[in-house]
Amino acid sequence: MSDYGTKKPRDTSSEMAQTVMSSDTEAHIINAPSAYRTFLGAIREPMAEFFGVALLVIFGAGAGASVVTAGNQGVSSSPKGDFLSINFGWAVGLAIGVWVSAGISGGHINPAITLAMATWRKFPWYKVPGFIIAQFLGGLVGAGLIYGLYFRAIDIFEGPGVRTLATAGIFATFPMSYMTSVAAFFTEFLATAILCFTILALTDKRNTAKPAPGLLPMALFVLFLGIGVSLGTTGWALNPARDFGPRVFLAMAGYGKALFTTRSQYWLWGPIIAPILGAQSGAFLYDVFLYTEQGVLNPTGGQ
């Protein structure tokens, strides 16, 4: 017997299940923005540091790759810049990186600066590990992107599959061959001390000559360009993440153990330890002689 046209009994259990599923879905959709905002609140500052360092390395290493590889006729029939061009690339990268991150994370984009701010400016210590990891990863990713873009040029410059310190210096830092270890260490120490000292001056509320917040990156551009031209004999790391992130990537890309054994493990005491100590010393000097706000050396503040 056909049931065409007959009325079937209602399946109330199915309707109830659909209602429950619909309610759960609606609740999930309603709560999604709140969950996303919570997630964004947790990662926003470290991600600003990540992108800031990535941009720093993209512009800096990109300028270096353009200049260095153009020295081979197979890459370019004429030179594509010089030492000053590389300085401009890193200075532009610093300015852009700070412009992107300053309003979100403070624009440290440098573990040495993050540690100095935690020590001398009450930056929360619990944020320090996340910032440093993000900065390191930004350096690694930035180097990876430039390496990928210039892979063919590096092959022409070095030879297919050959990877030496001749192009490693595009991404990581190495002192000039004539420099003693003491001179190399002190150069990084002094340059980073000047960097941190000046950053504190540029952000000191009582410094009437400080730039407007939006112009701080431009002041840092001038500062970094000056440091590079004057104290560039070590490749001017001044920033452990800017050196160590790319150096790790180079190890992954097949550059070999020379990255870590050259000049008695220069990678550790040159671009990591020296900048960290230099930033602390620069902050100490500024607070001892110029800073009048409340701080580590002046707990109550005052004139």
Side-chain angles (χ1 to χ4, degrees):
M1 180 178 176
S2 173
D3 60 1
Y4 178 77
T6 62
K7 186 177 181 179
K8 295 181 180 180
R10 293 176 59 188
D11 185 352
T12 57
S13 62
S14 176
E15 290 182 3
M16 289 176 64
Q18 291 176 3
T19 301
V20 172
M21 290 176 63
S22 175
S23 299
D24 288 346
T25 302
E26 290 176 1
H28 178 72
I29 293 173
I30 291 172
N31 291 329
S34 177
Y36 171 70
R37 285 195 296 271
T38 300
F39 173 73
L40 181 61
I43 69 165
R44 188 166 179 256
E45 290 186 352
M47 286 307 299
E49 292 292 305
F50 169 88
F51 286 119
V53 177
L55 288 166
L56 167 64
V57 173
I58 286 170
F59 280 97
S66 176
V67 171
V68 171
T69 59
N72 186 298
Q73 291 289 319
V75 176
S76 174
S77 59
S78 61
K80 298 297 183 183
D82 52 21
F83 179 69
L84 184 60
S85 304
I86 299 174
N87 275 277
F88 265 100
W90 285 105
V92 168
L94 176 64
I96 298 298
V98 172
W99 255 315
V100 166
S101 60
I104 300 171
S105 64
H108 298 177
I109 64 172
N110 183 337
I113 298 300
T114 296
L115 289 169
M117 291 300 174
T119 303
W120 301 95
R121 290 297 180 270
K122 297 182 179 180
F123 180 75
W125 279 101
Y126 74 87
K127 293 184 178 182
V128 169
F131 269 45
I132 292 178
I133 292 171
Q135 291 158 354
F136 159 73
L137 292 175
L140 188 150
V141 171
L145 291 171
I146 293 301
Y147 182 82
L149 292 174
Y150 282 89
F151 179 84
R152 178 59 180 155
I154 293 173
D155 259 356
I156 295 172
F157 183 88
E158 295 254 53
V162 177
R163 294 295 182 264
T164 69
L165 298 185
T167 54
I170 293 171
F171 304 93
T173 63
F174 302 90
M176 296 290 188
S177 59
Y178 67 82
M179 297 187 74
T180 66
S181 295
V182 172
F185 179 90
F186 187 71
T187 298
E188 285 292 327
F189 176 91
L190 176 63
T192 314
I194 293 171
L195 174 68
C196 188
F197 184 93
T198 308
I199 287 173
L200 295 181
L202 294 173
T203 55
D204 189 340
K205 295 179 181 178
R206 297 197 180 187
N207 179 6
T208 57
K210 69 180 183 297
L215 295 179
L216 175 62
M218 184 57 66
L220 294 176
F221 168 86
V222 174
L223 170 64
F224 202 78
L225 185 61
I227 290 174
V229 171
S230 305
L231 300 170
T233 51
T234 57
W236 64 103
L238 290 74
N239 182 337
R242 160 265 184 276
D243 182 274
F244 187 62
R247 199 177 293 263
V248 169
F249 173 80
L250 292 178
M252 296 165 58
Y255 273 79
K257 63 180 182 180
L259 291 167
F260 300 100
T261 58
T262 298
R263 298 289 293 268
S264 302
Q265 291 75 44
Y266 174 79
W267 70 272
L268 177 61
W269 55 264
I272 295 181
I273 295 176
I276 289 174
L277 295 179
Q280 294 291 335
S281 298
F284 172 77
L285 289 174
Y286 189 83
D287 277 23
V288 168
F289 296 107
L290 301 179
Y291 193 57
T292 58
E293 292 288 311
Q294 183 179 17
V296 175
L297 301 179
N298 188 17
T300 59
Q303 298 296 325

